[in-house]
């Protein structure tokens, strides 16, 4: 018994130190996420990120480019855990720095990809990314899609769903890749949902996937709700769908509502 105790005690101490370190890492990563939703005239915007481990690779942010311009970004690093969290933090720093400088949307993502690729060249890690810009007084969205699932856009007036698509590799795979930006006019009342695959790939106890059809149904049924309320409805439905099954992947989403 004494021998076993002497063998186990150092391991317990090491485990305790690791738990404290992960707890600190969780606090630091949470501090990197927005602490409040942005205010931009003509839009109602909200976001949320839930990690399946203490740290994760999902990321969303609201970057104030100028007094009347806002960048909304959502990213998903391959895998999850500490290594993904580190790459996420690196990408966040690169995006925030580059977005503060002048230049078209595509050039921002091109520069971020070049620098991020230096860190991922030998690791094989990558990050899908969706970057869009909104301006006060302008019902237009400009975006770049880097390997990320297209954003869902719903028009309540016509009850139609569409997607904000666009060609582009995930960040960190090819430093020479040149991204292209897309633009689209927005209609009053439209809803844009940018999410990570932890939403539609979530499984319940019967191993059924949540899917995008369920997500679209929630958006349609709660189209009159605020952006924050819609996120809450989606989150509640995901929790009910998952049941007692543990969260297996990070879940991140941003909702943008165009003012009526």
């Amino acid at each position: 018994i004494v021998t076993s105790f002497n063998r186990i005690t150092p391991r317990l101490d090491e485990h305790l130190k690791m738990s404290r370190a992960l707890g600190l890492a969780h606090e630091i990563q949470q501090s990197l996420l927005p602490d409040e939703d942005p205010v931009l005239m003509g839009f109602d915007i909200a976001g949320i990120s839930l990690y399946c481990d203490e740290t994760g690779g999902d990321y969303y942010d609201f970057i104030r480019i100028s007094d009347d311009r806002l960048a909304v970004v959502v990213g998903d690093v391959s895998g999850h855990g500490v290594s993904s969290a580190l790459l996420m933090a690196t990408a966040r720093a690169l995006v925030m720095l580059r977005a503060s400088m002048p230049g078209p949307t595509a050039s921002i993502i091109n520069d971020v990809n070049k620098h991020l690729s230096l860190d991922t060249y030998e690791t094989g890690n990558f990050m899908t990314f969706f970057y869009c810009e909104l301006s006060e007084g302008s019902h237009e969205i400009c975006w770049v899609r880097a390997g990320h699932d297209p954003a869902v856009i719903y028009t309540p007036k016509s009850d139609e769903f569409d997607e904000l698509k666009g060609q582009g590799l995930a960040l960190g795979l090819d430093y020479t890749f040149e991204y292209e930006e897309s633009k689209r006019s927005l209609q009053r009342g439209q809803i844009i949902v940018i999410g990570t695959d932890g939403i539609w790939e979530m499984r319940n106890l019967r191993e059924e996937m949540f899917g995008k059809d369920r997500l679209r149904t929630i958006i349609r049924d709660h189209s009159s709700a605020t952006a924050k309320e819609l996120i809450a409805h989606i989150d509640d439905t995901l929790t009910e769908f998952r049941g007692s099954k543990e969260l297996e992947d990070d879940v991140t989403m941003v909702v943008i509502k165009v003012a009526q």
Side-chain angles (χ1 to χ4, degrees):
I1 294 175
V2 172
T3 301
S4 298
F5 182 78
N6 290 337
R7 187 186 305 117
I8 293 173
T9 299
R11 294 179 182 177
L12 290 175
D13 185 55
E14 182 179 347
H15 179 74
L16 181 59
K17 290 179 179 179
M18 179 63 72
S19 297
R20 290 173 177 169
L22 288 174
L24 179 59
H26 173 77
E27 292 180 11
I28 293 174
Q29 187 170 38
Q30 288 297 309
S31 71
L32 299 180
L33 298 174
D35 55 2
E36 61 182 5
D37 296 324
V39 176
L40 188 69
M41 187 182 301
F43 299 93
D44 176 20
I45 307 171
I48 190 175
S49 192
L50 306 171
Y51 295 143
C52 61
D53 293 328
E54 287 86 351
T55 57
D58 274 15
Y59 160 62
Y60 81 96
D61 209 349
F62 307 122
I63 304 172
R64 183 68 65 171
I65 300 174
S66 64
D67 290 341
D68 61 348
R69 290 175 62 211
L70 181 76
V72 178
V73 299
V74 174
D76 184 0
V77 178
S78 55
H80 49 82
V82 176
S83 60
S84 297
L86 291 173
L87 185 57
M88 182 277 272
T90 300
R92 175 185 182 272
L94 291 172
V95 172
M96 292 191 68
L97 177 62
R98 181 59 186 85
S100 66
M101 302 176 183
T105 305
S107 68
I108 294 174
I109 305 305
N110 284 333
D111 291 342
V112 170
N113 180 58
K114 286 181 174 63
H115 288 288
L116 194 67
S117 295
L118 297 177
D119 293 335
T120 61
Y121 179 73
E122 295 182 354
T123 66
N125 293 331
F126 60 89
M127 181 179 193
T128 66
F129 205 73
F130 193 97
Y131 177 101
C132 65
E133 289 187 8
L134 303 166
S135 299
E136 289 185 356
S138 173
H139 281 174
E140 184 179 72
I141 184 171
C142 177
W143 76 91
V144 175
R145 189 173 75 91
H148 202 79
D149 278 271
V152 176
I153 181 168
Y154 175 61
T155 307
K157 187 175 182 179
S158 60
D159 190 27
E160 292 180 333
F161 282 94
D162 199 357
E163 294 182 328
L164 301 184
K165 301 179 180 179
Q167 300 297 323
L169 288 175
L171 300 178
L173 292 177
D174 182 2
Y175 75 93
T176 66
F177 190 86
E178 294 292 324
Y179 293 87
E180 297 182 359
E181 63 186 56
S182 303
K183 291 184 179 181
R184 172 175 175 153
S185 296
L186 298 174
Q187 300 178 28
R188 295 182 182 277
Q190 283 186 317
I191 303 170
I192 300 172
V193 178
I194 313 169
T196 58
D197 56 13
I199 300 173
W200 40 88
E201 292 183 2
M202 179 180 290
R203 295 179 181 274
N204 60 17
L205 293 173
R206 296 187 296 274
E207 291 301 316
E208 297 172 331
M209 290 182 61
F210 187 78
K212 291 188 176 181
D213 287 341
R214 286 187 175 91
L215 176 62
R216 294 189 183 99
T217 298
I218 302 170
I219 297 172
R220 176 188 287 114
D221 291 346
H222 301 280
S223 59
S224 61
T226 65
K228 185 177 285 293
E229 289 170 346
L230 180 53
I231 284 180
H233 285 303
I234 296 173
D235 184 32
D236 290 344
T237 307
L238 287 170
T239 301
E240 182 180 354
F241 175 81
R242 191 176 78 248
S244 60
K245 189 177 181 66
E246 291 186 3
L247 192 63
E248 297 177 328
D249 196 6
D250 304 331
V251 170
T252 296
M253 67 186 107
V254 170
V255 171
I256 303 170
K257 293 197 67 175
V258 184
Q260 294 281 3

